[in-house]
Amino acid sequence: MGRMGAEDPSRTFPAESLADDEVRGLLKQAATELGARAWIVGGYVRDRLLGRPHPDIDVVVEVGLGFDLAQRFAQLAGAGQPVIFERFGTAQVTVPGHLVEFVSARAESYASDSRKPEVRPATLEDDLRRRDFTVNTLLMDFDGNVHDPLGRGLADLDARVLRTPADPIQTFSDDPLRMLRAIRFAAQLGFDLAPELLPAMRQMKDRLSSPVVSVERVTDELRKILVSERPRLALELLDQGGLIEGILPEVAACKGVKQGGYHTHDVFGHTLLVVATTPPDVLVRLAALFHDVGKPATAGADGTFVGHDVVGADLAAKALERLRFPQKEIEAVAHLVRLHLRPVFYSSEWTDGAVRRLARDAGPLLRQLMELARADIAASAYPHPEKLDELQARLDAVLSEQPSRLEAPVNGEDVMRVRGIAPGPEVGRVKQRLTELVLDGVIEPTRDAVLAYLETHPDL
Ligand code: ATP
Ligand code: MG
């Protein structure tokens, strides 16, 4: 097949994806040559049957031939050398459009204080039994036929149920992340949890923490849950399974915090509604999740929550640091939480200056802030976010002003020269004041106009 290497600078476009049956054909050829018994397993088979895209392909291989099959498949596909993960006993091969991962059939046993299993070669059935859910134990042979060796997968897929192949207490105890995976699959696929899963979660909930489960694995699932189609369902399941206190204590603290006036739900219920009402953008959904976490600490006897935006931003940042989100995302979410009330409080009386200040303060997060505010209003007792259409039109107008009125077009040097002052806080103060006057339309947004104003207003 001879694909060009990455060293060819003309090849910046993505190579066309290999069709699924082409990949299967190459797998079949490699397996036949080696006499290896191998199947596609897990999510790929599940999603194919559900009609959902799933480009990554997991292959399970009997009697320890995983690495050999990976090697031969890579050669036949003209791909690079397999990437071997000794620790997990897996080998990955990338072909256009697909990451193909090979694993030798294995059984695992776990010590109670760790999820690092002791791994030994095993039969295919043993391998399938240690998997998380019956719908993830389905196999597909390289001719495209589906097999259900444990005899539960197809029925559960049909009934849209997530069930563990073994006793859920055992399955969850061996790798507690599976509790979160259950909830994530429920949110992504719209499947029900088998009735024994929530009680098992409540029993095993304390194991879902470091060092048994790394923060990164938890956060990875949380991210998928948040951008799924059913984040509200997932948060309710996290609550019912007793997992929310451990993972999101700031959000859990909103349970039972009553609020009247603008609201139909307690703070927790309202939060879930807002999350469900936002588009599936991870920053917006995180901001929705944390937007009111400042309320429990600021609840006044009169039903107000003065300062909950500022307190909430701080709590959100701490939570996301604990969950090891990237610093850029932490800052963005904290900023959105801090500003979330501004568009909500919009009224037609706002001056253009106030609209410009909002645009300036939100900066590159303005779209996300407006999406959050829209959802916040829609999830209130007065679900009329239409006023935000008016605000959006005014924001669009001030953002397209030429020259821009969001900043005074002078710098610190200008201020020092005209005022005859040395560097220091006074320079910043004067510049800030000029910016406010430009924002309010008092000074025209040209350099000449701002310098003239500076010269004629020594008391600025
Ligand atoms: P997705 O790719 O959307 O996460 P998936 O089902 O393919 O869904 P992967 O994490 O890619 O999930 O794992 C592939 C397969 O490996 C799963 O279908 C399942 O059979 C098995 N598996 C993955 N993680 C676990 C786990 N923590 N415990 C048991 N089995 C697992
Ligand atoms: Mg997968």
Side-chain angles (χ1 to χ4, degrees):
M1 193 161 295
R3 287 173 192 281
M4 297 267 235
E7 66 275 6
D8 177 2
S10 68
R11 196 183 155 280
T12 49
F13 53 89
E16 206 180 310
S17 269
L18 274 190
D20 289 54
D21 51 357
E22 284 182 83
V23 178
R24 280 206 304 271
L26 294 168
L27 285 167
K28 183 172 178 172
Q29 191 183 338
T32 308
E33 282 180 26
L34 291 171
R37 288 165 42 86
W39 296 264
I40 300 175
V41 63
Y44 174 87
V45 186
R46 178 198 71 222
D47 285 347
R48 284 284 294 210
L49 292 170
L50 293 172
R52 296 171 61 93
H54 195 121
D56 296 345
I57 301 178
D58 294 300
V59 177
V60 59
V61 191
E62 276 196 331
V63 292
L65 285 174
F67 290 168
D68 302 279
L69 187 62
Q71 187 90 40
R72 188 65 192 127
F73 170 75
Q75 279 167 354
L76 291 173
Q81 280 292 315
V83 179
I84 308 252
F85 296 89
E86 286 288 352
R87 234 185 88 205
F88 302 104
T90 62
Q92 289 180 351
V93 179
T94 308
V95 297
H98 308 269
L99 178 70
V100 187
E101 184 159 313
F102 297 81
V103 58
S104 293
R106 64 194 188 191
E108 294 169 356
S109 38
Y110 293 80
S112 67
D113 58 341
S114 136
R115 91 152 287 268
K116 287 203 193 76
E118 214 161 298
V119 179
R120 58 179 190 285
T123 65
L124 182 65
E125 292 212 351
D126 286 334
D127 181 285
L128 296 178
R129 253 190 296 276
R130 60 111 196 142
R131 288 178 184 261
D132 48 6
F133 305 105
T134 56
V135 295
N136 288 344
T137 65
L138 293 169
L139 303 180
M140 183 184 280
D141 64 33
F142 300 143
D143 295 316
N145 306 304
V146 174
H147 304 261
D148 183 10
L150 298 190
R152 283 312 291 263
L154 284 173
D156 285 339
L157 192 77
D158 224 38
R160 306 177 76 81
V161 173
L162 293 158
R163 190 188 315 281
T164 52
D167 180 350
I169 300 280
Q170 190 62 48
T171 298
F172 292 162
S173 169
D174 284 348
D175 178 6
L177 189 78
R178 293 166 183 163
M179 297 187 276
L180 271 190
R181 285 175 60 90
I183 291 172
R184 190 253 292 184
F185 286 128
Q188 284 180 331
L189 306 175
F191 280 26
D192 292 327
L193 303 185
E196 63 276 15
L197 261 55
L198 285 175
M201 284 182 195
R202 290 193 285 271
Q203 211 171 317
M204 287 293 127
K205 62 181 196 298
D206 294 337
R207 282 179 62 75
L208 187 61
S209 57
S210 170
V212 182
V213 181
S214 73
V215 176
E216 285 76 9
R217 293 180 81 213
V218 169
T219 298
D220 199 40
E221 292 297 328
L222 185 59
R223 214 179 247 288
K224 290 178 180 168
I225 282 171
L226 282 176
V227 299
S228 75
E229 265 177 66
R230 299 168 192 79
R232 181 182 182 190
L233 169 76
L235 289 162
E236 283 166 354
L237 291 174
L238 283 176
D239 183 27
Q240 291 161 16
L243 304 177
I244 199 159
E245 281 77 10
I247 302 173
L248 297 167
E250 300 80 4
V251 178
C254 298
K255 286 197 282 178
V257 177
K258 297 269 177 292
Q259 45 184 2
Y262 291 103
H263 289 284
T264 49
H265 290 71
D266 71 7
V267 177
F268 182 70
H270 166 73
T271 295
L272 267 50
L273 262 182
V274 177
V275 171
T277 309
T278 50
D281 167 304
V282 76
L283 288 183
V284 180
R285 290 256 166 107
L286 280 168
L289 183 64
F290 288 107
H291 81 284
D292 275 350
V293 292
K295 281 190 170 175
T298 56
D302 55 350
T304 59
F305 302 94
V306 177
H308 80 268
D309 42 355
V310 176
V311 172
D314 199 44
L315 286 173
K318 291 206 171 90
L320 293 170
E321 267 156 33
R322 183 185 66 238
L323 292 164
R324 310 226 179 110
F325 273 82
Q327 199 55 38
K328 270 193 81 156
E329 291 183 354
I330 298 175
E331 281 163 23
V333 172
H335 198 54
L336 289 170
V337 173
R338 196 176 304 112
L339 293 183
H340 81 271
L341 293 174
R342 292 268 293 277
V344 171
F345 286 160
Y346 172 74
S347 79
S348 300
E349 285 94 73
W350 275 27
T351 62
D352 286 346
V355 175
R356 290 190 193 105
R357 275 189 189 86
L358 178 63
R360 176 197 59 188
D361 294 344
L365 293 169
L366 185 58
R367 173 184 61 79
Q368 288 92 334
L369 182 63
M370 290 297 280
E371 287 172 353
L372 173 62
R374 210 170 267 282
D376 198 4
I377 296 175
S380 74
Y382 303 94
H384 298 294
E386 298 84 28
K387 73 172 180 183
L388 293 186
D389 296 338
E390 179 182 307
L391 173 58
Q392 187 64 58
R394 293 184 67 187
L395 285 164
D396 292 342
V398 301
L399 283 169
S400 61
E401 285 171 318
Q402 282 305 337
S404 169
R405 288 181 185 265
L406 297 187
E407 209 182 4
V410 292
N411 56 33
E413 306 266 295
D414 297 322
V415 172
M416 290 189 279
R417 190 182 64 252
V418 174
R419 297 305 276 296
I421 57 175
E426 176 67 1
V427 179
R429 193 195 64 77
V430 171
K431 204 186 154 233
Q432 185 55 38
R433 187 77 193 105
L434 289 169
T435 289
E436 300 304 320
L437 291 165
V438 169
L439 277 162
D440 281 327
V442 175
I443 316 178
E444 284 304 299
T446 65
R447 201 176 141 72
D448 287 348
V450 176
L451 290 176
Y453 192 95
L454 189 58
E455 269 162 28
T456 52
H457 292 77
D459 56 340
L460 193 68

